[in-house]
Every structure is written in C-alpha cells, then in structure tokens.
C-alpha cells in the first residue's frame, strides 16, 4: 500500500481500547481471593487429616506457616510486578532471609525425631505430602498463568519462576494444616522435591502464554 495516510487511518479505526492493568496490590489480593479457596477445595481430592496444634513444637509450626504465607505473598507480588516493563520488583535477595528462616525452623523441627525401623509406612506418608502439594498448587498455577497472560512479560521465565516460588510457598502453608507438627527427614525431602517440581512446571507450562512476543 503506497498511501501511508490511508494505511494510518485504517489502522486507527481497527485499534481497540486497551484496558488498564490494575495496581499490583489489588491484583495480588484478587488473585489470593480466588486462588486460595480453589486450592483448599482441591485439597479435598487427596487423603489428609488435621494438624494437632496441641502437640509440643506447635508454636514453631505456626511461625513456619506465617513465614511460608509471607514468602508466598511477596513472591506472587514480585511476579506480577516483573510482568510490567519498567517496574522494580522485590529482589530474590530480599526474599532469601525469609526462605532461610523457614528452612532453619524445618531443620529444628526435625531434630530429635527418631527414624523408624520400617520406613514403608513413612514412605507412603511422604508420598502423600508430595501429592498434596502438587494437587493444591495446580489450580493456583493455572490461575497465575492466566493472570500473568493479561500483562505478558519481557522476562517470562523470571516472572514465572517467582510465581512458582510463591505458589509452592502458599501450598506449603496449606499443607501445615493437615500435617503432623514434627517433620521427618523424608517428609522434608519430599517437600523440597515438590517445591522444585512446582517451580519447574510453572515455568514450562506458562512460558508459552506469558511471553510478550506471543
């Protein structure tokens, strides 16, 4: 087309208004309001009991829940912020102390917990922990990818990795309400394995939909 003015006029008629992205804080609150109930509903798909908060060490477990929820919320906020060009998000270095505190409390919670002679039963319990984390994280993962797709991202892997950390942390906070207060080393290994799997799946599944050039 040689008539540039006609081309500009044609493109101008076809341009649709762009809906403004809501402030990050509101996006986080809206996402949590939908994602957490969906995750709780998904938890009923797997066998689980309820935590006995009267056991010794329950106070440490409560602190762990608070740290996991705080880490998850900050990571989700960072993921939303990273998806918008020019915005400065919370650095992973700022989140690292919270993660290390959670890790340290987990190690303290494992001290003095005797390893049973027969591990088959505990293997089943640890597998259920892994399954629980993967199941409750699935709706949160899908909702997060759909939310990030709204704004896309110049750095989809970074945004999705931070989102995966947030989802894994929130899933761990939910697990605490249906898990024994004291951790077994096999439990902790399976928890960490689930965290890595959630982060990897969030990146692999979401990269196609969140990339800016799609």
């Amino acid at each position: 087309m040689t008539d540039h003015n006609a081309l500009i006029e044609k493109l101008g008629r076809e341009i649709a208004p762009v809906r403004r992205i809501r402030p990050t804080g509101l996006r986080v609150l809206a996402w949590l309001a939908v994602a957490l109930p969906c995750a709780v509903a998904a938890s009923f798909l797997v066998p689980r009991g309820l935590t006995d908060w009267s056991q010794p060490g329950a106070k440490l477990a409560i602190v762990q829940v608070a740290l996991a929820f705080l880490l998850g919320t900050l990571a989700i906020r960072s993921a939303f912020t990273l998806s918008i060009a020019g915005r400065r998000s919370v650095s992973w270095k700022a989140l690292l102390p919270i993660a290390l505190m959670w890790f340290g409390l987990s190690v303290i919670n494992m001290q003095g917990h005797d390893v049973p002679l027969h591990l088959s039963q505990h293997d089943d319990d640890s597998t259920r922990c892994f399954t629980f984390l993967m199941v409750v994280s699935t709706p949160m993962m899908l909702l997060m990818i759909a939310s990030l797709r709204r704004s896309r991202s110049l750095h989809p892997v970074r945004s999705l990795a931070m989102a995966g950390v947030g989802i894994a942390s929130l899933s761990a906070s939910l697990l605490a309400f249906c898990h024994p207060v004291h951790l077994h080393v096999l439990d902790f290994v399976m928890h960490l394995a689930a965290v890595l799997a959630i982060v990897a799946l969030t990146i692999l599944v979401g990269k196609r939909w969140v990339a800016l050039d799609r």
Side-chain angles (χ1 to χ4, degrees):
M1 180 179 291
T2 57
D3 189 346
H4 297 85
N5 291 327
L7 175 61
I8 293 172
E9 183 180 354
K10 180 177 182 295
L11 292 175
R13 289 196 303 267
E14 295 176 352
I15 293 176
V18 178
R19 190 173 60 181
R20 186 176 182 180
I21 298 294
R22 289 179 297 177
T24 302
L26 291 179
R27 294 179 75 191
V28 173
L29 290 176
W31 183 86
L32 288 173
V34 177
L36 288 179
C38 289
V40 172
S43 70
F44 288 95
L45 298 175
V46 293
R48 84 277 187 278
L50 293 176
T51 301
D52 181 5
W53 296 105
S54 64
Q55 293 181 3
K59 291 182 179 180
L60 284 180
I62 293 173
V63 175
Q64 279 187 285
V65 173
L67 288 173
F69 187 83
L70 177 62
L71 177 61
T73 303
L74 291 177
I76 293 298
R77 180 183 179 86
S78 181
F80 277 126
T81 306
L82 276 170
S83 67
I84 302 176
R87 297 283 182 88
R88 296 190 62 182
S89 64
V90 178
S91 170
W92 65 269
K93 294 180 181 178
L95 300 179
L96 186 60
I98 303 175
L100 290 177
M101 289 174 63
W102 176 85
F103 184 88
L105 289 177
S106 298
V107 173
I108 293 173
N109 225 347
M110 288 187 292
Q111 290 181 354
H113 192 71
D114 296 331
V115 179
L117 294 178
H118 300 287
L119 297 178
S120 58
Q121 181 62 43
H122 212 92
D123 286 342
D124 293 339
D125 293 340
S126 300
T127 302
R128 281 196 290 268
C129 290
F130 183 90
T131 303
F132 179 94
L133 289 170
M134 297 305 298
V135 168
V136 300
S137 67
T138 298
M140 292 194 285
M141 187 189 311
L142 297 177
L143 288 168
M144 191 67 201
I145 291 171
S147 299
L148 288 176
R149 190 172 186 267
R150 172 73 179 83
S151 57
R152 306 289 182 152
S153 178
L154 286 171
H155 309 285
V157 173
R158 288 170 55 190
S159 298
L160 290 166
M162 192 64 75
V165 171
I167 292 168
S169 299
L170 292 174
S171 299
S173 68
L174 293 176
L175 176 64
F177 290 96
C178 48
H179 190 282
V181 167
H182 294 287
L183 279 174
H184 187 279
V185 63
L186 292 178
D187 290 338
F188 192 55
V189 169
M190 295 303 288
H191 294 178
L192 294 180
V195 168
L196 294 176
I198 292 168
V199 174
L201 278 174
T202 304
I203 295 172
L204 292 174
V205 175
K207 186 177 179 181
R208 175 183 177 185
W209 305 104
V210 176
L212 193 63
D213 58 348
R214 292 286 177 178

